[in-house]
Amino acid sequence: MKTEKFNNPTQAKVYLIGSGIAGLASALYLIKDAGVPGENIHILEKDKIAGGATDGAGETEKGFVVRGGRMHEMHYECYWELLSHIPSLEDPNVSVRDESYEFNERFVSNGQARLLKDGKKMDVSSYGLSFKQQADFLKLTYVSEKSLGNDRIEDWFDQSFFDTNFWYIWTSMFAFQKWSSLAEMRRYMKRFIHLVDGLYKLGGVMRTKYNQYDSVVRPMKKYLEEKGVRFDFGKEVVDIDFNLSADKKTATVLHMKDKSEIVLGKNDFVFFTNGSITESTDNGTWNTPAELKGIAASGSWKLWKKIAAKDSAFGNPSPFCDNIELQKWYSFTATMKDNTFLKYMENFSGNVDGTGGLVTMTDSNWLMSVVIARQPHFPQQPDDVKIFWGYGLYPDRKGNYINKTMAECTGAEMLEELYYHLKIQDLMKPITAAGKVNCIPVAMPFVDSLFMPRKIGDRPDVVVKGATNFAFLGQFAEAPKDCVFTVEYSVRTAQMAVYGLFETDKKVHPMYDSAHNPKYLLGALKAISR
Ligand SMILES: Cc1cc2nc3c(=O)[nH]c(=O)nc-3n(C[C@H](O)[C@H](O)[C@H](O)COP(=O)(O)OP(=O)(O)OC[C@H]3O[C@@H](n4cnc5c(N)ncnc54)[C@H](O)[C@@H]3O)c2cc1C
């Protein structure tokens, strides 16, 4: 049965579970395109702060932290359009989109030290793929997604593929593992085929002026609050009741952790960001490792599990969240009251801050990478303070220098390991001894959960068949053909939810179809055979 769209928006009340970019985008589309009054929109957020995965916090003395930094590209069609409606905090006459575009014109990604070995830059002019590997690559883009089932990347490519420049660039840029979903890799290859040519230097990668909490979340929150949207922090939803029949599914009650309830009336809606890659994260310190927490500390995994048990159309969270060993990795953020490290990296790499992107140490047991964003990365960051981010994909392996797994390491030990790979231990010793360096490690148990092998149907549709008043949002709702681990995907699901349930004159933005553009196809073919 086709869901009838709601056409009485001024009477609607909408509850958004989760204040990540998917929830924030939904609020904007509900107001702008569906005509729901801002004051009728409630964002229920279990944390004390908005933004979910798009975080950025801290100050000089305690240290700054970003769990991750986002690479964007020109064809994030939904995301950039969304941000074209949001005034920048620094100049309200300019949108966040235009602020970002202007920033990217000045600081163009052009990584000159993409891969390192033995502390030296590697030649990445060739991706190093054999003829067979090139053929496997092409074949993958032509088979159907369905035919791949829940196969892993290592089921498709031979073992030597994982030693090529191409794989080191790919795995460190997108955080795919050998055991990640082949279907998701296929989506990336098709969706981002226009980037394949310049992948070795991060060509086409765009960033925001500051970290995404300051550049995106704060302006969006301000915009929505001015429209009357209510943010209820510290509100965790622990269960949802439904009326379920063969042709209609209606959410009826939201149960909160604090034992309160929200009973949904006939004009009320709920959108749920089911699953989150930053659930249960933990910060360590300079002297203590981060703690690996599990599902018990999460909100969305527990809630999704609870409701998935009520109806098979609500998807299957288990493939995504029940194997932390394969999903976790660790990141760290360094704060330095000194510019020696940045100066060294600028001279060594040939990239000024904000233009180099990822630098990956291919011989690191942890497969460690660092990114030096344009400084300041926080608006309140003093001129003489420098910040950079790093991560390791294999936190259970012992370091090459530090005799501990990455997971067991303090912030200080993670930096020691990094200095060893760059051969700058002596250079950095006096700066560390003078107490000018801080580093905060972060454990992210679910960060790669969206790449876990999955079957069609494991992610629920955004608006499931027969749903009258609810939608799923975010990385674990199905947006056909688009790529997870992107803010674009979450914003797309917000459009699908609002335009799917409410009468609007809007259509979900089409995806940029570079896979059928001969120019990009040829460019990619040439690049993989280089
Ligand atoms: C390290 C890292 C690097 C990344 N790199 C990139 C990149 O380069 N490019 C890119 O485009 N994207 C990148 N991403 C991905 C992108 O940031 C996320 O996919 C996106 O921000 C997810 O947004 P979301 O709103 O769907 O979910 P989330 O941001 O996860 O939001 C979910 C929200 O729901 C709340 N919540 C959960 N359960 C409950 C409950 N029961 N009750 C109330 N509230 C609840 C959570 O607290 C959270 O605020 C990266 C992410 C990380 C972590």
Side-chain angles (χ1 to χ4, degrees), residues 18 21-22 45 53 70-71 76 237 276 300 475 485-487 490:
I21 189 83
E45 169 55 59
R70 265 128 291 263
M71 295 172 286
Y76 272 18
V237 180
S276 163
S300 61
Q475 305 290 305
F485 224 139
T486 65
V487 279
S490 290

Side-chain angles (χ1 to χ4, degrees), residues 16-24 44-47 49-55 66-72 76 173 207 212 235-238 272-273 275-279 298-301 303 329 331 389 444 447 450 473-476 484-491 493:
L16 302 169
I17 306 175
S19 69
I21 189 83
L24 300 177
L44 308 172
E45 169 55 59
K46 74 170 172 42
D47 288 346
I49 191 162
T54 42
D55 68 318
V66 280
R67 287 177 291 199
R70 265 128 291 263
M71 295 172 286
H72 312 89
Y76 272 18
M173 187 168 173
R207 304 195 182 260
Q212 286 76 54
K235 277 280 178 196
E236 181 175 339
V237 180
V238 292
F272 168 39
T273 304
S276 163
I277 62 173
T278 42
E279 290 288 273
S298 100
S300 61
W301 294 116
L303 178 56
W329 44 261
S331 71
W389 177 86
M444 293 186 282
V447 66
L450 33 61
L473 296 176
Q475 305 290 305
F476 301 90
V484 289
F485 224 139
T486 65
V487 279
E488 170 73 359
Y489 190 98
S490 290
V491 178
T493 62

